[in-house]
């Protein structure tokens, strides 16, 4: 047998792991309601018309060549304008890099920061590629707690406890996947103070920044004075174009502390040549164009969030926080005597109620005895899923 690398074989991704048993059931003719993947394009959400037109037009007009490694100048200028308007950051196109979505930005940033044995502070629970990619680059994911009773806000004292001499950065995901948390301004300020104390950069994942329900998103990039912040964003969520694989990141680094990291990242960017050229034209259209589609989409998402939250609060044996952003809800399994783990619970719900969730432990240790539900589908589908799940819970608790 030809052996594969330990680095690649060690990769785990809970969100897709649960798909295999679901597929087995479907092969037997069972209809499974899949609430496991955060992809709006699989439901009634599409990128707005002006972006789709710009993408097609770019291809038709011949923009099918390699572009600059750092991204097209016109897009980097559009990103500067968008981020100045949203976050009031004082940046120039030179601070911006365009990537194959946030996932490639993470690869660049972790690749440029980590030597073997270094660690990055990542939230627990968190979107799994954070731990997966840190490990892939030889690092150790150093998980910090977020506090459920406090709407899943980061525990600043826990972050302080976990900083050590090999810590290279603090990552924040806000609004959060999988918890739907929206971080308060005072939390972001405390986090920046702590990062400043230990001379650490902050990596801020803002892919859901305009997808909030009650409050407004606050970026560490907008509040920093001297702490270097790397902000990541892209087309996948707020612009509903997951499959286009386009994103960006920028440095807010008033004291130029990231000069060497920037150089390392640019080396990584050059060996992968460039991001998708025609998709960058679509991104220019999206970032400079009208945003009224978002109001319509957020109204749908709010209705779905309110519905699933209400239903879940009525189901015995679980409790849940109300999501303030993104399109995930992360209930807690209160009644634990019936299952050995959250994974067993999710598989039981799949086999019995035919609804597919993701087990919380797949998002880190603080996710244990929870599960994540994606509430992107229309209310009729959520209703069918919740009716079936409610019947399952009542049966299990009675049995
Ligand atoms: N970051 C977070 C927090 C996410 O939830 C996701 C996707 O679900 C991503 C990044 C992936 O983003 P992209 O499609 O830009 O790679």
């Amino acid at each position: 047998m030809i052996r594969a690398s330990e680095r690649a074989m060690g990769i785990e991704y809970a969100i897709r792991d649960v798909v295999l048993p679901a597929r087995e059931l479907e092969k037997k003719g069972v209809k499974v309601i899949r609430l496991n993947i955060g992809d709006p394009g699989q439901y009634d959400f599409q990128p707005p018309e002006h972006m789709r037109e710009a993408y097609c037009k770019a291809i038709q007009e011949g923009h099918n060549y390699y572009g600059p490694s750092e991204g097209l100048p016109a897009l980097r200028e559009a990103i500067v304008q968008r981020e100045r308007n949203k976050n009031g950051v004082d940046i120039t196109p030179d601070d911006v890099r365009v990537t194959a979505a946030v996932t490639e930005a993470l690869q660049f940033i972790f690749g440029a920061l980590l030597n073997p044995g270094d660690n990055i502070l990542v939230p627990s629970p968190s979107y799994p590629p954070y731990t997966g990619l840190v490990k892939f680059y030889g690092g150790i994911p150093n998980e910090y707690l977020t506090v459920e009773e406090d709407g899943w806000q980061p525990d600043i004292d826990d972050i302080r406890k976990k900083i050590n001499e090999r810590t290279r950065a603090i990552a924040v995901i806000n609004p959060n996947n999988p918890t739907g948390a929206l971080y308060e301004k005072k939390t972001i300020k405390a986090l920046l103070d702590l990062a400043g104390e230990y001379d650490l950069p902050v990596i801020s994942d803002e892919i859901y920044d305009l997808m909030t329900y009650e409050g407004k998103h606050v970026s560490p990039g907008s509040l920093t004075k001297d702490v270097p912040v790397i902000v990541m964003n892209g087309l996948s969520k707020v612009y509903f174009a997951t499959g286009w694989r386009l994103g960006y990141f920028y440095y807010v680094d008033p004291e130029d502390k990231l000069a060497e990291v920037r150089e390392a990242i640019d080396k990584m960017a050059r060996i992968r040549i460039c991001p998708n050229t025609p998709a960058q034209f679509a991104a220019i259209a999206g970032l400079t164009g009208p945003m009224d589609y978002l109001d319509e989409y957020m109204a749908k998402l709010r209705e779905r969030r309110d519905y699933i939250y209400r239903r879940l609060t009525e189901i015995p044996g679980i409790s849940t926080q109300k999501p303030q952003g993104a399109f995930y809800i992360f209930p807690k399994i209160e009644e634990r005597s019936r299952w050995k783990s959250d994974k067993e619970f999710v598989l039981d719900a799949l086999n019995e109620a035919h609804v597919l969730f993701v087990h919380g432990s797949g998002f880190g240790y603080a996710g244990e005895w929870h599960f994540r539900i994606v509430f992107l589908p229309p209310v009729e589908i959520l209703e069918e899923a919740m009716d079936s799940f409610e019947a399952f819970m009542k049966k299990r608790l009675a049995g």
Side-chain angles (χ1 to χ4, degrees), residues 13 38 100-104 106 127 130 173 175-177 205 207-208 233-237 242 245-247 328:
Y13 193 31
V102 167
T103 306
E104 191 183 52
L106 286 172
Y127 176 57
Y130 276 77
I173 304 172
N176 188 271
N177 175 6
D205 184 332
I207 190 80
Y208 301 101
N233 211 328
L235 299 190
S236 288
K237 309 294 170 167
T242 47
R245 312 309 300 131
L246 203 84
Y328 310 98

Side-chain angles (χ1 to χ4, degrees), residues 95 97 109 112-113 168-169 199-203 226-231 249-266:
D95 299 311
R97 298 290 178 271
I109 296 164
L113 280 174
R168 300 301 322 277
D199 240 341
L200 293 169
V202 171
I203 302 166
D226 55 344
V227 174
V229 178
I230 307 179
V231 174
F249 66 93
Y250 59 93
Y251 308 96
V252 187
D253 184 18
E255 298 185 354
D256 211 18
K257 292 179 181 164
L258 291 172
E260 189 175 287
V261 174
R262 288 173 72 136
E263 193 185 327
I265 286 177
D266 283 346

